[in-house]
Amino acid sequence: MSDYLTYVWRPVTGGRHAFPITATKTPAGVPLVAFCGAEADAAELHDRSEVDWIRENTCMRCWRILAARP
């Protein structure tokens, strides 16, 4: 098991998805792909509020993909 984060959950338009940890350093305007294949502009991952977390549902496809990892 890694001592470092390898993914991060972010509420973007359409759900709370898991993205590779490198996505947190990606500049706005760059398209990113979640583990489930959902796409979002990097700008959507930055400065999310608690209300954003409440409004978006967790992507269960991302959840299953991550849960199946060793």
Side-chain angles (χ1 to χ4, degrees):
M1 184 170 175
S2 174
D3 290 339
Y4 301 101
L5 292 175
T6 58
Y7 60 89
V8 61
W9 288 92
R10 287 291 187 265
V12 297
T13 304
R16 191 177 317 117
H17 292 277
F19 293 88
I21 194 67
T22 55
T24 61
K25 303 290 184 190
T26 304
V30 176
L32 296 170
V33 179
F35 281 88
C36 69
E39 294 182 18
D41 186 290
E44 287 194 70
L45 277 69
H46 307 301
D47 301 321
R48 303 311 298 202
S49 71
E50 289 181 16
V51 173
D52 296 325
W53 276 88
I54 293 167
R55 288 184 179 150
E56 298 294 347
N57 292 321
T58 297
C59 172
M60 295 312 294
R61 187 162 182 227
C62 282
W63 184 276
R64 285 188 294 275
I65 290 167
L66 292 173
R69 290 171 59 172

